[in-house]
């Protein structure tokens, strides 16, 4: 292969292959719905895909289905339907878009969504619990809630070797063993420990690779957009967790990113300002939202989204295949706790990220729909500005509801932010170069 062919094949591979896998995943769901097969409904923070894949249960992520309605500019139709049915405009837009999907018998722009045979959730977001109750009422579906102990205070996490950690791990393990029994009952299959080990092995490859991909993005220029490309990677990290395709995909993305880093190939724009993103993207105008930053040479090098929405893959945690159930309990405890920390105790990690990725600013994007992610962001932002002096921007909109997205207002605020960054740079570096 010539150098040019190698470059063409490698650069953009993660996006091309990720988008194709995403379509395949929805085709599988479509097929499941049309043939009346079983499916499990799960959430991104603690999907327990490792157990569900062992039972060959297709997984449905209603959060991802909902955001896809916004990306495809039809979310308002689904939201209206749920609000006409009686749901308040104030609650999480993901829930309402899903209610709209269910009321339409699973009709969705990407596929026909199958009905749930089982719902698995954690306490990472309190909305998960009320959301699952909707399916219980609609379909009489068995619902399994896993209670994951969170961090009790900032900096108060415990780790392996500590008796509190061991008690928490055992508490999770008992619940996972119960979930395995429920899966046996729902599917009529026996739990296959060897298959489970295989699934965990693939999940290990994905975690190792995802951690490496995130680390590589501290290259200058950065290699991928944490906002746009990152969302594709997240889709595969969730939908294909524990599968061979998912493992190979992430290995191939590592190869792409290593090539880009070695050859100084950055994002498609000339990087002037390196940014961190906190919150959930503005999906109703996703492309434009990103352009409001890239037009100024702003690139997103990392985000809390790539952290809490990756199902724990970001930590690089690897399961011990000799002790699989206990090790899954440890991984689930660490990763779901970490996802909750990304919302409640994010400042320490953000400060680390700001430093290791050498960022110029932090964009806070609280959203009307999601109090779980948005509560406390104003205080967090104040802390980062007061204590660390990192410039930041606070813009409010929504990830689903176009009624509260004002592009013109957003543009004014974003333009003013970049003008501030530009003048700050001119003062600190008279040649104006980064
Ligand atoms: S409230 Fe936020 S974290 Fe919870 S389900 Fe909705 S979008 Fe997700």
């Amino acid at each position: 292969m010539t150098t040019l062919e190698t470059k063409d094949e490698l650069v953009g591979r993660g996006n091309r292959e990720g988008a194709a896998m995403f379509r395949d995943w929805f085709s599988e769901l479509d097929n499941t719905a049309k043939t009346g097969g079983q499916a499990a409904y799960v959430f991104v923070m603690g999907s327990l895909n490792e157990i569900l894949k062992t039972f060959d249960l297709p997984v449905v992520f209603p959060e991802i289905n909902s955001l896809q309605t916004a990306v495809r500019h039809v979310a308002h139709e689904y939201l209206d339907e749920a609000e006409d049915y009686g749901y308040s405009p104030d609650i999480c837009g993901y829930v309402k878009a899903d209610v709209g999907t269910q009321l339409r018998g699973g009709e969705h722009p990407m596929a026909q969504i199958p009905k749930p045979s089982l719902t698995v959730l954690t306490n990472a977001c309190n909305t998960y619990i009320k959301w699952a109750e909707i399916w219980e009422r609609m379909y009489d579906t068995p619902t399994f809630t896993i209670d994951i102990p969170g961090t009790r205070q900032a900096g108060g996490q415990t780790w392996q070797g500590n008796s509190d950690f061991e008690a928490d791990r055992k508490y999770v393990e008992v619940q996972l063993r119960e979930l395995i029994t429920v899966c046996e009952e729902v599917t009529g299959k026996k739990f296959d420990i060897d298959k489970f080990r295989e699934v965990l092995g693939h999940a290990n490859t994905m975690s190792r690779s995802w951690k490496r991909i995130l680390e590589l993005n501290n290259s200058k220029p950065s290699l991928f957009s944490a906002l746009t490309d990152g969302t594709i990677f997240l889709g595969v990290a969730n939908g294909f967790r524990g599968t061979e395709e998912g493992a190979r995909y992430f290995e191939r993305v590592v190869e792409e990113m290593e090539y880009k880093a070695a050859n100084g190939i950055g994002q498609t724009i000339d990087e002037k300002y390196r940014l961190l993103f906190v919150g959930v993207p503005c999906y109703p105008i996703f492309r434009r939202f990103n352009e409001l930053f890239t037009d100024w040479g702003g690139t997103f090098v990392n985000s809390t989204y790539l952290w809490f929405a990756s199902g724990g893959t970001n930590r690089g945690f690897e399961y011990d295949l000799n002790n699989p159930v206990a090790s899954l309990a440890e991984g689930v405890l660490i990763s779901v706790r970490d996802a909750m920390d990304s919302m409640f105790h994010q400042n320490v990690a953000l400060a680390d990220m700001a430093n290791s990725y050498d960022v110029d600013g932090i964009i806070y994007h609280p959203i009307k729909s999601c109090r779980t992610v948005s509560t406390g962001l104003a205080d967090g932002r104040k802390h980062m500005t007061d204590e660390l002096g990192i410039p930041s921007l606070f813009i409010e909109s929504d990830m689903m509801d176009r009624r509260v997205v004002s592009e013109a207002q957003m543009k004014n605020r974003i333009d003013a932010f970049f003008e501030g960054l530009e003048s700050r740079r001119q003062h600190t570096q008279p040649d104006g170069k980064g």
Side-chain angles (χ1 to χ4, degrees):
M1 219 186 257
T2 66
T3 320
L4 197 62
E5 279 169 342
T6 307
K7 185 177 171 194
D8 285 348
E9 202 277 314
L10 279 168
V11 176
R13 179 201 256 181
N15 285 12
R16 286 192 300 275
E17 294 182 1
M21 286 170 78
F22 207 59
R23 285 193 295 274
D24 290 349
W25 177 38
F26 274 103
S27 298
E28 189 201 358
L29 294 184
D30 195 73
N31 191 37
T32 304
K34 288 180 175 143
T35 54
Q38 291 190 310
Y41 277 27
V42 299
F43 296 97
V44 295
M45 293 189 280
S47 72
L48 274 308
N49 228 342
E50 293 86 340
I51 290 178
L52 301 168
K53 283 282 176 240
T54 306
F55 285 95
D56 296 319
L57 273 167
V59 285
V60 175
F61 284 85
E63 293 152 298
I64 297 178
N65 296 345
S66 294
L67 81 83
Q68 282 297 323
T69 64
V71 170
R72 278 151 216 288
H73 308 291
V74 291
H76 56 283
E77 296 173 16
Y78 289 78
L79 297 180
D80 285 349
E81 206 152 329
E83 287 174 18
D84 289 346
Y85 190 73
Y87 285 88
S88 157
D90 286 339
I91 63 164
C92 170
Y94 281 174
V95 175
K96 282 185 293 180
D98 173 64
V99 167
T101 307
Q102 304 303 338
L103 291 174
R104 291 174 175 206
E107 185 201 315
H108 181 276
M110 299 287 288
Q112 175 81 19
I113 306 298
K115 292 189 175 73
S117 312
L118 167 69
T119 297
V120 180
L121 58 140
T122 67
N123 55 323
C125 168
N126 51 6
T127 297
Y128 286 175
I129 295 165
K130 303 312 287 180
W131 194 345
E133 286 175 5
I134 298 173
W135 302 319
E136 251 181 336
R137 285 196 297 272
M138 280 183 169
Y139 304 112
D140 203 16
T141 309
T143 298
F144 197 91
T145 309
I146 302 179
D147 182 32
I148 311 287
T151 297
R152 272 65 148 188
Q153 61 183 55
Q157 286 174 337
T158 56
W159 295 98
Q160 293 92 336
N162 177 293
S163 60
D164 283 346
F165 181 87
E166 186 47 24
D168 287 350
R169 192 202 59 70
K170 276 197 190 136
Y171 176 59
V172 175
E173 182 180 339
V174 170
Q175 297 177 75
L176 296 186
R177 290 191 186 279
E178 274 177 44
L179 173 62
I180 290 171
T181 306
V182 171
C183 287
E184 288 183 326
E185 285 163 8
V186 168
T187 62
K189 289 181 183 170
K190 284 303 287 173
F191 179 59
D192 178 344
I193 191 87
D194 294 323
K195 186 166 179 184
F196 181 53
R197 282 201 180 90
E198 212 177 288
V199 169
L200 293 185
H202 294 317
N204 284 351
T205 305
M206 292 174 78
S207 295
R208 197 165 50 240
S209 306
W210 183 225
K211 184 166 183 274
R212 174 85 183 124
I213 293 163
L214 290 172
E215 284 164 358
L216 278 166
N217 216 31
N218 70 5
S219 304
K220 285 193 174 174
S222 60
L223 313 174
F224 68 89
S225 163
L227 195 71
T228 53
D229 309 319
T231 301
I232 298 173
F233 304 156
L234 281 181
V236 180
N238 284 302
F240 291 82
R241 185 165 179 79
T243 64
E244 187 166 0
E245 303 103 287
R248 293 296 83 78
Y249 171 80
F250 273 101
E251 285 178 330
R252 285 167 67 76
V253 179
V254 170
E255 211 183 329
E256 175 189 349
M257 296 307 159
E258 283 179 340
Y259 176 83
K260 288 178 82 171
N263 291 281
I265 303 170
Q267 300 189 30
T268 47
I269 60 151
D270 193 14
E271 177 171 281
K272 279 179 76 184
Y273 301 104
R274 296 164 65 85
L275 306 169
L276 289 180
F277 185 81
V278 182
V280 179
C282 180
Y283 286 122
I285 53 161
F286 193 30
R287 180 186 296 215
R288 184 67 194 131
F289 181 70
N290 182 52
E291 281 169 2
L292 294 176
F293 298 92
T294 56
D295 285 350
W296 283 89
T299 55
F300 289 101
V301 295
N302 207 337
S303 69
T304 55
Y305 197 47
L306 294 188
W307 177 11
F308 65 78
S310 73
T313 310
N314 61 310
R315 293 219 42 119
F317 181 88
E318 294 191 40
Y319 302 117
D320 173 3
L321 305 190
N322 292 318
N323 208 359
V325 181
S327 186
L328 177 64
E330 186 169 312
V332 168
L333 170 62
I334 291 173
S335 68
V336 176
R337 187 180 71 178
D338 191 56
M340 293 192 263
D341 284 351
S342 75
M343 297 177 278
F344 305 130
H345 304 292
Q346 62 194 209
N347 286 344
V348 175
L350 272 181
D352 277 355
M353 265 190 213
N355 191 24
S356 55
Y357 287 80
D358 192 18
V359 306
D360 300 292
I362 306 181
I363 309 302
Y364 288 86
H365 182 238
I367 43 180
K368 179 205 75 164
S369 269
C370 177
R371 292 178 191 84
T372 309
V373 166
S374 307
T375 305
L377 284 194
D379 292 333
R381 186 238 184 155
K382 186 170 178 332
H383 170 84
M384 296 301 279
T385 312
D386 292 351
E387 302 291 318
L388 303 164
I390 302 172
S392 60
L393 173 67
F394 199 79
I395 34 169
E396 294 166 271
S397 76
D398 200 52
M399 83 298 201
M400 289 295 289
D401 191 345
R402 65 179 191 180
R403 290 169 296 192
V404 294
V405 177
S406 164
E407 188 187 317
Q409 219 174 60
M410 236 184 227
K411 182 174 185 318
N412 282 342
R413 304 274 321 280
I414 293 169
D415 287 351
F417 173 71
F418 279 106
E419 281 160 15
L421 284 187
E422 214 159 67
S423 106
R424 183 182 165 107
R425 188 167 281 179
Q426 271 159 10
H427 279 93
T428 50
Q429 291 160 298
D431 63 357
K433 287 186 185 148

